[in-house]
Coordinates of all heavy atoms in Angstrom, one line a residue:
Chain A
A187 N 46.3 -4.7 171.5 CA 46.0 -3.4 172.0 C 45.5 -3.6 173.5 O 44.9 -4.7 173.8 CB 44.8 -2.9 171.2
L188 N 45.9 -2.8 174.3 CA 45.6 -2.9 175.7 C 44.5 -2.0 176.2 O 44.6 -0.8 175.9 CB 46.9 -2.6 176.6 CG 47.9 -3.6 176.8 CD1 49.1 -3.0 177.5 CD2 47.4 -4.8 177.5
V189 N 43.5 -2.5 176.9 CA 42.6 -1.6 177.5 C 42.7 -1.9 179.0 O 42.6 -3.0 179.5 CB 41.1 -1.9 177.1 CG1 40.2 -1.1 177.9 CG2 41.0 -1.6 175.6
F190 N 43.1 -0.9 179.7 CA 43.4 -1.0 181.1 C 42.4 -0.2 182.0 O 42.3 1.0 181.8 CB 44.9 -0.5 181.4 CG 45.3 -0.6 182.9 CD1 45.7 -1.8 183.4 CD2 45.2 0.5 183.7 CE1 46.0 -1.9 184.7 CE2 45.6 0.4 185.0 CZ 46.0 -0.8 185.6
A191 N 41.7 -0.9 182.8 CA 40.7 -0.2 183.6 C 41.0 -0.5 185.1 O 41.2 -1.6 185.5 CB 39.3 -0.8 183.3
A192 N 41.2 0.6 185.8 CA 41.5 0.5 187.3 C 40.3 0.9 188.0 O 39.6 1.9 187.8 CB 42.7 1.4 187.6
M193 N 39.9 0.1 189.0 CA 38.8 0.5 189.9 C 39.4 0.6 191.3 O 39.8 -0.5 191.9 CB 37.7 -0.6 189.9 CG 36.8 -0.5 188.7 SD 37.5 -1.4 187.3 CE 37.4 -3.1 187.8
G194 N 39.4 1.8 191.9 CA 39.9 1.9 193.2 C 41.3 1.6 193.4 O 41.7 1.1 194.5
L195 N 42.1 1.8 192.4 CA 43.6 1.4 192.5 C 44.3 2.6 193.2 O 43.9 3.7 193.1 CB 44.1 1.3 191.1 CG 45.2 0.2 190.9 CD1 44.7 -1.1 191.3 CD2 45.7 0.2 189.5
K196 N 45.3 2.2 194.0 CA 46.1 3.3 194.7 C 46.9 4.0 193.6 O 47.3 3.4 192.6 CB 47.1 2.6 195.7 CG 46.3 2.1 196.9 CD 47.3 1.6 198.0 CE 48.0 0.4 197.5 NZ 48.7 -0.4 198.4
H197 N 47.3 5.3 193.9 CA 48.0 6.1 193.0 C 49.3 5.4 192.5 O 49.7 5.4 191.3 CB 48.3 7.5 193.6 CG 47.1 8.4 193.5 ND1 46.9 9.2 192.5 CD2 46.1 8.5 194.4 CE1 45.7 9.9 192.7 NE2 45.2 9.4 193.8
D198 N 50.0 4.8 193.5 CA 51.4 4.3 193.1 C 51.2 3.1 192.3 O 52.0 2.8 191.4 CB 52.2 4.0 194.4 CG 51.5 3.0 195.3 OD1 50.2 3.1 195.4 OD2 52.1 2.2 196.0
E199 N 50.1 2.3 192.5 CA 49.9 1.1 191.6 C 49.6 1.6 190.2 O 50.1 1.0 189.3 CB 48.7 0.3 192.2 CG 49.0 -0.4 193.5 CD 47.8 -1.2 194.0 OE1 46.7 -0.5 194.2 OE2 47.9 -2.4 194.3
A200 N 48.7 2.6 190.1 CA 48.4 3.1 188.8 C 49.6 3.6 188.1 O 49.8 3.3 186.9 CB 47.3 4.2 188.9
S201 N 50.5 4.3 188.8 CA 51.6 4.9 188.1 C 52.6 3.8 187.7 O 53.3 3.9 186.7 CB 52.3 6.0 188.8 OG 52.3 5.8 190.2
Y202 N 52.6 2.7 188.5 CA 53.5 1.5 188.2 C 53.1 1.0 186.8 O 53.9 0.8 185.9 CB 53.4 0.4 189.2 CG 54.0 -0.9 188.8 CD1 55.3 -1.1 188.7 CD2 53.2 -1.9 188.3 CE1 55.9 -2.3 188.3 CE2 53.7 -3.1 187.8 CZ 55.1 -3.3 187.9 OH 55.6 -4.5 187.4
F203 N 51.7 0.8 186.6 CA 51.3 0.2 185.4 C 51.6 1.2 184.2 O 52.1 0.8 183.2 CB 49.7 0.0 185.4 CG 49.4 -1.4 186.0 CD1 48.8 -1.5 187.2 CD2 49.6 -2.5 185.2 CE1 48.5 -2.7 187.7 CE2 49.3 -3.8 185.7 CZ 48.7 -3.9 187.0
I204 N 51.3 2.5 184.4 CA 51.5 3.4 183.3 C 53.0 3.5 183.0 O 53.3 3.5 181.8 CB 50.9 4.8 183.7 CG1 49.4 4.7 183.8 CG2 51.3 5.8 182.7 CD1 48.7 5.8 184.5
S205 N 53.9 3.4 184.0 CA 55.3 3.5 183.6 C 55.7 2.2 182.9 O 56.5 2.2 182.0 CB 56.2 3.8 184.9 OG 56.1 2.6 185.7
Q206 N 55.1 1.1 183.3 CA 55.4 -0.2 182.6 C 55.0 -0.1 181.1 O 55.7 -0.5 180.2 CB 54.7 -1.3 183.3 CG 55.3 -1.8 184.6 CD 56.5 -2.6 184.3 OE1 56.6 -3.4 183.4 NE2 57.6 -2.4 185.1
F207 N 53.8 0.5 180.9 CA 53.3 0.6 179.5 C 54.2 1.5 178.7 O 54.4 1.3 177.6 CB 51.9 1.1 179.5 CG 50.9 0.2 180.2 CD1 49.6 0.6 180.6 CD2 51.1 -1.2 180.3 CE1 48.7 -0.2 181.2 CE2 50.2 -2.0 180.9 CZ 49.0 -1.5 181.4
R208 N 54.7 2.6 179.4 CA 55.5 3.6 178.7 C 56.8 2.9 178.3 O 57.3 3.0 177.2 CB 55.9 4.8 179.7 CG 54.7 5.7 179.8 CD 55.2 7.2 179.8 NE 54.0 8.0 179.6 CZ 53.3 8.5 180.6 NH1 53.7 8.3 181.9 NH2 52.2 9.2 180.4
E209 N 57.5 2.2 179.3 CA 58.8 1.6 179.1 C 58.7 0.7 177.9 O 59.6 0.6 177.1 CB 59.3 0.8 180.3 CG 60.0 1.7 181.3 CD 60.3 1.0 182.6 OE1 60.5 -0.3 182.5 OE2 60.2 1.6 183.6
S210 N 57.7 -0.2 177.9 CA 57.6 -1.2 176.8 C 57.1 -0.6 175.5 O 57.0 -1.4 174.5 CB 56.8 -2.4 177.3 OG 55.5 -1.9 177.5
G211 N 56.7 0.6 175.5 CA 56.1 1.2 174.3 C 54.7 0.8 174.1 O 54.1 1.3 173.1
A212 N 54.1 0.1 175.0 CA 52.7 -0.4 174.9 C 51.8 0.8 175.0 O 50.6 0.7 174.6 CB 52.4 -1.4 175.9
I213 N 52.2 1.9 175.6 CA 51.3 3.0 175.8 C 50.6 3.5 174.6 O 49.5 3.9 174.6 CB 52.0 4.2 176.6 CG1 51.1 5.2 177.2 CG2 53.0 4.9 175.7 CD1 50.5 4.7 178.5
D214 N 51.4 3.4 173.4 CA 50.8 3.9 172.2 C 49.7 3.1 171.7 O 48.9 3.5 170.8 CB 51.9 3.9 171.1 CG 53.0 4.9 171.5 OD1 52.7 5.8 172.2 OD2 54.2 4.6 171.0
R215 N 49.6 1.8 172.2 CA 48.4 1.0 171.7 C 47.5 0.7 172.9 O 47.0 -0.4 173.0 CB 48.9 -0.2 171.0 CG 50.1 -0.9 171.7 CD 50.6 -2.2 170.9 NE 51.8 -2.6 171.6 CZ 51.8 -3.5 172.5 NH1 50.7 -4.0 173.0 NH2 53.0 -3.9 173.1
S216 N 47.5 1.6 173.9 CA 46.7 1.4 175.1 C 45.6 2.4 175.3 O 45.7 3.5 174.8 CB 47.6 1.4 176.4 OG 48.7 0.6 176.2
V217 N 44.6 2.0 176.0 CA 43.6 2.9 176.5 C 43.5 2.7 178.0 O 43.3 1.6 178.4 CB 42.2 2.6 175.9 CG1 41.2 3.7 176.3 CG2 42.2 2.5 174.4
V218 N 43.8 3.8 178.7 CA 43.9 3.7 180.2 C 42.7 4.4 180.8 O 42.4 5.6 180.4 CB 45.2 4.3 180.7 CG1 45.3 4.3 182.2 CG2 46.4 3.5 180.1
I219 N 42.0 3.7 181.7 CA 40.8 4.3 182.3 C 41.0 4.1 183.8 O 41.1 3.0 184.3 CB 39.5 3.7 181.8 CG1 39.4 3.9 180.3 CG2 38.3 4.2 182.5 CD1 38.3 3.0 179.7
L220 N 41.1 5.2 184.5 CA 41.5 5.2 185.9 C 40.4 5.7 186.8 O 40.0 6.9 186.8 CB 42.8 6.0 186.1 CG 44.0 5.6 185.4 CD1 45.2 6.6 185.7 CD2 44.5 4.2 185.8
N221 N 40.0 4.8 187.7 CA 39.2 5.3 188.9 C 40.1 4.9 190.1 O 40.3 3.7 190.3 CB 37.9 4.5 189.0 CG 37.2 4.7 190.3 OD1 37.7 4.1 191.3 ND2 36.2 5.5 190.4
L222 N 40.6 5.9 190.7 CA 41.6 5.7 191.7 C 41.0 5.5 193.1 O 39.8 5.8 193.3 CB 42.7 6.7 191.7 CG 43.5 6.8 190.4 CD1 44.4 7.9 190.3 CD2 44.2 5.5 190.2
A223 N 41.8 5.2 194.1 CA 41.2 4.9 195.4 C 40.5 6.0 196.0 O 39.5 5.8 196.7 CB 42.4 4.4 196.3
D224 N 40.9 7.3 195.7 CA 40.2 8.4 196.3 C 39.1 8.9 195.4 O 38.5 10.0 195.6 CB 41.2 9.5 196.7 CG 42.1 9.9 195.6 OD1 42.0 9.3 194.5 OD2 42.9 10.8 195.8
D225 N 38.8 8.3 194.2 CA 37.7 8.7 193.4 C 36.4 8.1 193.9 O 36.5 7.1 194.7 CB 37.9 8.2 192.0 CG 39.0 9.0 191.2 OD1 39.2 10.2 191.6 OD2 39.6 8.5 190.3
P226 N 35.3 8.6 193.5 CA 34.0 8.1 194.1 C 33.8 6.6 193.8 O 34.1 6.2 192.7 CB 33.0 8.9 193.3 CG 33.6 10.1 192.8 CD 35.1 9.8 192.6
A227 N 33.4 5.9 194.9 CA 33.3 4.5 194.8 C 32.2 4.1 193.8 O 32.4 3.1 193.1 CB 33.0 3.9 196.2
I228 N 31.1 4.8 193.8 CA 30.0 4.4 193.0 C 30.3 4.4 191.5 O 29.9 3.6 190.7 CB 28.8 5.2 193.3 CG1 28.3 5.1 194.7 CG2 27.6 4.9 192.4 CD1 28.0 3.7 195.1
E229 N 31.3 5.3 191.2 CA 31.7 5.4 189.8 C 32.3 4.1 189.3 O 32.3 3.8 188.1 CB 32.8 6.5 189.8 CG 33.0 7.2 188.5 CD 34.0 8.3 188.7 OE1 33.7 9.4 189.2 OE2 35.2 8.1 188.4
R230 N 32.8 3.3 190.2 CA 33.4 2.0 189.8 C 32.4 1.1 189.1 O 32.8 0.1 188.5 CB 34.0 1.3 191.1 CG 35.2 2.0 191.6 CD 35.7 1.6 192.9 NE 36.5 2.7 193.4 CZ 36.8 3.0 194.6 NH1 36.4 2.2 195.6 NH2 37.5 4.0 194.9
L231 N 31.1 1.3 189.3 CA 30.2 0.5 188.7 C 30.2 0.7 187.2 O 29.8 -0.2 186.4 CB 28.8 0.7 189.2 CG 28.6 0.4 190.7 CD1 27.1 0.7 191.1 CD2 28.8 -1.1 190.9
I232 N 30.6 1.9 186.7 CA 30.6 2.2 185.3 C 31.9 2.1 184.7 O 32.0 1.8 183.5 CB 29.9 3.6 185.0 CG1 30.6 4.7 185.7 CG2 28.5 3.6 185.2 CD1 30.1 6.1 185.3
T233 N 33.0 2.2 185.4 CA 34.3 2.1 184.9 C 34.6 0.9 184.0 O 35.0 1.0 182.9 CB 35.4 2.3 186.0 OG1 35.1 3.5 186.7 CG2 36.8 2.4 185.4
P234 N 34.4 -0.3 184.6 CA 34.7 -1.5 183.7 C 33.8 -1.6 182.5 O 34.2 -2.1 181.4 CB 34.4 -2.7 184.6 CG 33.6 -2.2 185.7 CD 33.9 -0.7 185.9
R235 N 32.6 -1.0 182.6 CA 31.7 -1.1 181.4 C 32.1 -0.2 180.4 O 32.0 -0.5 179.2 CB 30.2 -0.8 181.9 CG 29.7 -1.9 182.9 CD 28.2 -1.8 183.1 NE 27.8 -3.1 183.7 CZ 27.8 -3.4 184.9 NH1 28.2 -2.5 185.8 NH2 27.5 -4.6 185.3
I236 N 32.6 1.0 180.8 CA 33.2 1.9 179.8 C 34.4 1.2 179.1 O 34.5 1.2 177.9 CB 33.6 3.2 180.4 CG1 32.4 4.0 180.9 CG2 34.5 4.1 179.5 CD1 32.7 5.2 181.7
A237 N 35.2 0.6 179.9 CA 36.4 0.0 179.3 C 36.0 -1.1 178.3 O 36.6 -1.2 177.3 CB 37.3 -0.6 180.5
L238 N 35.0 -1.9 178.7 CA 34.7 -3.0 177.8 C 34.0 -2.5 176.6 O 34.0 -3.2 175.5 CB 33.8 -4.0 178.6 CG 34.7 -4.8 179.5 CD1 33.9 -5.6 180.6 CD2 35.6 -5.8 178.8

Side-chain angles (χ1 to χ4, degrees):
Chain A
L188 277 176
V189 174
F190 178 80
M193 282 84 72
L195 214 61
K196 288 184 297 196
H197 281 266
D198 57 330
E199 291 177 305
S201 39
Y202 168 77
F203 273 108
I204 291 163
S205 68
Q206 283 285 320
F207 297 158
R208 282 221 169 90
E209 271 170 37
S210 63
I213 195 82
D214 297 334
R215 45 182 172 89
S216 308
V217 184
V218 175
I219 300 168
L220 298 177
N221 165 288
L222 298 173
D224 53 358
D225 285 334
I228 298 303
E229 206 175 279
R230 285 164 204 163
L231 295 179
I232 53 174
T233 306
R235 296 193 160 86
I236 291 173
L238 286 164

